[in-house]
Amino acid sequence: MGDKAHAHTGAAGGTPAAGHPRTLRNVVLVGHSGSGKTTLVEALAQTAGAVSRTGRVEDGTTVSDHEEIEHRQNRSVQLSLVPVEWGGCRINLLDTPGYADFVGELRAGLRAADAALFVVSAAQEAETVAGTTRAVWEECAAVGMPRAIVVTHLDTARTPFDAMTRLCGELFGDDDPDAVLPLHLPVFGPEAADGHAPLTGLTGLLSQRVFDYSGGERTELPPAGDQQAPLAEARARLIEGIIAESEDETLMDRYLGGESLGIKTLTDDLERAVARGTFHPVLAAAPAADGARQGIGTVELLDLITGGFPTPLEHPLPAVTTPDGAPLPALDCDPLGPLVAEVVKTSSDPYAGRLSLVRVFSGTLRADDTVHVHGHGLDDPGREDRPCHEARARVGALTSPFGKQQRPVDACVAGDLARVARLESAETGDTLSATAHPLLMEPWTMPDPLLPVAVRAHSKADEDKLSHSLARLVAEDPAMRLEQNRDTGQLVLWCLGEAHLDVALDRLRDHYGVQVDTVAHRVALRETFAGPASGLGRHVKQSGGHGQYAVCEIDVEPLPAGSGITFVDRVVGGSVPRQFIASVEKGVRAQAARGIAAGHPLVDIRVVLRDGKAHSVDSSDGAFQTAGALALREAAADAHVRFLEPVAEVRVLIPDDYVGPVMSDLSGRRGRVTGTEQSGSGRTLVRADVPELEIDRYTVDLRSLTHGTGRFSRSYARHEPMPAQLADRVRAQDG
């Protein structure tokens, strides 16, 4: 962990082979956008000898598998895998996007990993750090995932390292800030002309040695005289923190009694506490300077990963059931066990076709295997159904991705990750298992996309390919939803934010050759009668041969919300023959579905057929259908038609500091706050009923209002009368 001897080598340019789960470490890098995750991954790869130089997203030389849109947006938008070798272990580094719109990629990385590195930048505001990482930290804590924290950008820091460690203790220490402590203190060189001092090395708190990187290679030195006091204070606190998490209950008494504890004893206890997820070390890191082989802190970080993070053998596997849902005993991460693997990411390549990144949890996946593919369905209300699907598929070539390169491998053992080409029947989240013993893993939680965007084909040629391309896009990205709205007729793509939408449209164009236009999203309004009315429907035509003759008189009255349309026959004397009563009802209902004021469905009325006329020759089913529709339109012409708008029940989770601004904002959206309650330390849950017209872009606006710290969910509650002023505006637009 930075205090040991180092004789590590990595085969430059090669992919380390995983022979057994005990030699594997799967680590996901988590952090806010701009924290330096990708740069850190590349620095680790360079130190391990996997690459000879580091690149940048901006110039396309990064080891991560970046798309063209990432160069344009200057940020990561997808999960990338970078395998390296250190100390006889294969480390799968999973680089995740930091921007909130791509949290679906982050969740996939969490699913594939056994431990997490939280990367925080000392050059950014504390609010930025807190807003985008706290929720993910809690997710990891809920499943006991080991976590460590890496502080970057100390050269240009807004916040000094000691202040950053205190901030991390407050944010991530829960009830015990002493469970989040630094393992090293940074060492800075002389201050430059811009006022910033370069990071030149680290001082190990346990070894009390300085690891100096200023000469391009890592060397050990004794600490300078002015470092002794802060070193002693930080070292004492670290030792007490380690002892507090130790399984040896006598250790604290020995320490308080004045016994000098050996570095090996402390290091072993530290590694065990990290692996259990009860202690979270803070480290500092920086990429290698020009001409240097190793980045500052990268050796210490790689040692922490191999020595303190668990192997896949130690991480509990997700629950497994039979395809029909029957629970099964927990599986072990055994290369000889039954095959259970999961597609954690799906992408498309214009040349290679569909590519599936797979994490094998049990058994061994081999090229040319035939596997059973089983996917979870999607039946949430208001969304396009996606039924459960099953298929048999042949596994083609297995590769280990490294940036844009695909390096062939023969097999992927339990605990490892590999990419499978042309697994066409598999979608993100699907389970791969043996055909003789099909299994299904419980799904991981995905964020609910809350930004609706209506799309349409740009041309007739695009229209022919649009449906298939959108289906493929949604299959690749489970954080995206596709809806064919039955009321508005619009094709709606639900995304996590505007950047998520930009990536989706880019992939449609570049990967599938489909150009789409975005149009204004229409909310599904309703119409109803505000009071009773009557209407006469007269459809009489004679143009040679059989004519058309139908007359009906109706009364219309409003009903309570949710009543739908009720049709009542009160004809006496046979003025409308019995066989045409149903025709009138059919015409009324068809017209109600088309709307009577602005094309929105008519609801919550009772229609009473009280009289009419028929002709013995010219009356017909079609004629009375037309008459029924005409009667309803005439009744509407003499009555006040009210518009009903959908209202959503909104639940907003925010830090206490933002309760006032958020409630004020909801009121400005015609929302009615129905309650508030405390939800954990320092956070409040606000419930409100808000018209859906007012929250189309709420996911974007809330993020801006709360600096990325707020989250919300929405669900349909009911339709309510729209204010008269807004209703007049809708009539002017749609009438």
Side-chain angles (χ1 to χ4, degrees):
M1 285 201 177
D3 294 330
K4 302 176 180 178
H6 305 282
H8 305 288
T9 60
T15 299
H20 194 277
R22 72 171 65 92
T23 65
L24 286 167
R25 305 291 186 273
N26 297 310
V27 182
V28 61
L29 281 83
V30 177
H32 49 89
S33 185
S35 61
K37 296 182 298 298
T38 300
T39 303
L40 179 59
V41 166
E42 295 179 339
L44 294 171
Q46 183 178 9
T47 296
V51 294
S52 58
R53 62 179 294 267
T54 59
R56 294 171 57 84
V57 174
E58 294 90 333
D59 61 21
T61 59
T62 173
V63 299
S64 298
D65 183 15
H66 289 288
E67 297 184 13
E68 182 61 32
I69 192 172
E70 296 182 289
H71 308 317
R72 294 197 296 269
Q73 293 197 5
N74 193 21
R75 61 183 167 211
S76 300
V77 303
Q78 66 174 351
L79 175 70
S80 294
L81 171 63
V82 177
V84 301
E85 185 175 7
W86 187 258
C89 292
R90 172 187 167 104
I91 304 173
N92 288 318
L93 298 170
L94 293 151
D95 183 18
T96 65
Y99 196 61
D101 280 13
F102 308 109
V103 67
E105 300 284 325
L106 167 62
R107 297 281 177 86
L110 292 174
R111 179 69 159 205
D114 304 309
L117 280 178
F118 280 72
V119 184
V120 298
S121 171
Q124 292 183 310
E125 298 286 353
E127 276 188 339
T128 304
V129 177
T132 54
T133 54
R134 174 69 187 181
V136 183
W137 183 275
E138 292 175 351
E139 287 185 37
C140 294
V143 297
M145 180 178 283
R147 287 144 283 157
I149 302 157
V150 184
V151 180
T152 58
H153 301 152
L154 284 169
D155 287 2
T156 57
R158 288 175 180 263
T159 310
F161 182 73
D162 58 345
M164 284 299 300
T165 58
R166 287 196 300 272
L167 173 65
C168 291
E170 294 168 2
L171 289 176
F172 309 132
D174 299 323
D175 298 327
D176 184 13
D178 285 338
V180 181
L181 294 172
L183 298 185
H184 310 86
L185 296 181
V187 178
F188 295 95
E191 188 174 292
D194 61 2
H196 293 116
L199 182 67
T200 60
L202 303 170
T203 301
L205 294 182
L206 295 183
S207 66
Q208 302 182 83
R209 299 287 290 174
V210 174
F211 305 112
D212 182 58
Y213 289 82
S214 60
E217 294 288 338
R218 182 181 186 271
T219 58
E220 289 192 24
L221 303 170
D226 59 353
Q227 296 176 316
Q228 296 291 348
L231 173 60
E233 181 181 348
R235 185 174 193 272
R237 190 179 178 196
L238 174 61
I239 291 174
E240 290 174 6
I242 294 172
I243 293 173
E245 300 298 333
S246 175
E247 296 176 337
D248 185 350
E249 297 179 357
T250 69
L251 211 56
M252 181 62 79
D253 293 335
R254 291 161 53 193
Y255 176 70
L256 294 177
E259 181 179 337
S260 178
L261 303 177
I263 290 180
K264 185 178 188 310
T265 299
L266 293 171
T267 301
D268 290 346
D269 274 345
L270 173 61
E271 291 179 345
R272 283 191 289 267
V274 171
R276 290 197 308 270
T278 59
F279 187 85
H280 315 293
V282 182
L283 300 94
D290 291 342
R293 187 177 67 84
Q294 297 174 336
I296 298 173
T298 52
V299 169
E300 290 75 17
L301 191 49
L302 289 166
D303 278 344
L304 172 66
I305 291 172
T306 55
F309 280 176
T311 71
L313 296 169
E314 301 169 82
H315 193 66
L317 272 61
V320 178
T321 68
T322 62
D324 59 5
L328 295 172
L331 292 176
D332 295 322
C333 182
D334 182 0
L336 301 179
L339 176 63
V340 180
E342 189 171 37
V343 179
V344 295
K345 176 179 172 57
T346 309
S347 57
S348 292
D349 184 271
Y351 306 103
R354 180 173 292 194
L355 301 172
S356 303
L357 182 63
V358 173
R359 159 80 191 250
V360 179
F361 288 93
S362 173
T364 300
L365 184 67
R366 294 180 174 84
D368 297 326
D369 280 353
T370 299
V371 297
H372 179 268
V373 180
H374 197 118
H376 298 275
L378 175 68
D379 55 2
D380 294 344
R383 294 178 178 169
E384 184 117 333
D385 289 343
R386 188 199 306 162
C388 290
H389 54 275
E390 294 185 70
R392 289 166 64 99
R394 179 179 172 274
V395 176
L398 294 177
T399 59
S400 178
F402 194 92
K404 293 291 185 182
Q405 304 175 50
Q406 303 298 320
R407 296 168 175 172
V409 295
D410 296 328
C412 183
V413 302
D416 204 1
L417 293 103
R419 180 170 281 173
V420 183
R422 303 189 185 281
L423 203 59
E424 298 297 330
S425 57
E427 301 176 358
T428 301
D430 285 4
T431 302
L432 310 181
S433 58
T435 55
H437 302 285
L439 299 170
L440 181 64
M441 300 194 78
E442 66 173 357
W444 70 83
T445 304
M446 292 298 292
D448 193 15
L450 296 169
L451 179 67
V453 182
V455 297
R456 67 185 178 195
H458 181 71
S459 66
K460 181 63 172 69
D462 295 315
E463 188 174 341
D464 295 338
K465 299 183 289 185
L466 180 59
S467 178
H468 174 72
S469 299
L470 284 173
R472 290 287 299 269
L473 188 70
V474 172
E476 293 174 7
D477 186 355
M480 193 175 293
R481 296 288 181 263
L482 183 64
E483 173 194 5
Q484 180 72 59
N485 192 292
R486 290 182 288 269
D487 292 328
T488 66
Q490 287 187 317
L491 193 61
V492 182
L493 201 58
W494 289 82
C495 304
L496 294 173
E498 292 174 317
H500 194 203
L501 171 66
D502 289 344
V503 171
L505 299 182
D506 182 86
R507 286 173 176 163
L508 280 175
R509 181 183 63 251
D510 293 348
H511 292 187
Y512 300 109
V514 177
Q515 187 80 28
V516 299
D517 299 323
T518 59
V519 296
H521 175 240
R522 298 177 59 198
V523 171
L525 303 180
R526 302 280 189 270
E527 301 172 358
T528 193
F529 279 62
S534 298
L536 171 67
R538 178 181 175 83
H539 183 62
V540 178
K541 289 188 177 181
Q542 187 69 49
S543 57
H546 282 299
Q548 299 181 56
Y549 188 97
V551 179
C552 62
E553 298 179 37
I554 62 171
D555 294 328
V556 182
E557 60 186 33
L559 292 177
S563 301
I565 296 178
T566 302
F567 185 84
V568 180
D569 170 23
R570 289 184 182 164
V571 173
V572 294
S575 56
V576 178
R578 305 307 303 169
Q579 68 268 29
F580 296 134
I581 299 294
S583 302
V584 175
E585 179 179 1
K586 190 174 181 180
V588 166
R589 291 187 180 276
Q591 184 61 55
R594 292 191 296 268
I596 53 176
H600 305 293
L602 181 68
V603 297
D604 301 336
I605 57 170
R606 177 184 288 114
V607 178
V608 178
L609 176 61
R610 56 180 171 81
D611 203 359
K613 294 180 182 179
H615 188 277
S616 59
V617 175
D618 292 341
S619 290
S620 65
D621 170 69
F624 271 99
Q625 284 191 46
T626 302
L630 290 171
L632 188 61
R633 291 209 298 266
E634 183 177 287
D638 295 333
H640 175 60
V641 176
R642 177 181 294 164
F643 283 0
L644 304 176
E645 62 179 338
V647 174
E649 180 183 349
V650 175
R651 296 161 55 91
V652 190
L653 183 64
I654 47 175
D656 293 343
D657 293 344
Y658 294 105
V659 171
V662 165
M663 291 178 68
S664 176
D665 179 72
L666 290 172
S667 297
R669 298 173 186 270
R670 298 188 287 126
R672 297 186 301 275
V673 175
T674 58
T676 62
E677 62 185 69
Q678 287 299 119
S679 179
S681 176
R683 289 186 295 177
T684 298
L685 180 67
V686 179
R687 290 191 178 88
D689 291 342
V690 189
E692 290 189 8
L693 279 169
E694 307 289 344
I695 57 173
D696 251 17
R697 289 181 49 82
Y698 190 58
T699 186
V700 177
D701 297 338
L702 179 66
R703 188 180 302 163
S704 175
L705 181 63
T706 64
H707 294 86
T709 60
R711 291 178 288 163
F712 87 104
S713 62
R714 57 183 281 183
S715 58
Y716 170 78
R718 59 193 171 276
H719 273 71
E720 288 184 353
M722 178 182 286
Q725 184 178 1
L726 287 178
D728 291 341
R729 192 182 307 163
V730 171
R731 285 190 179 88
Q733 292 173 349
D734 300 341

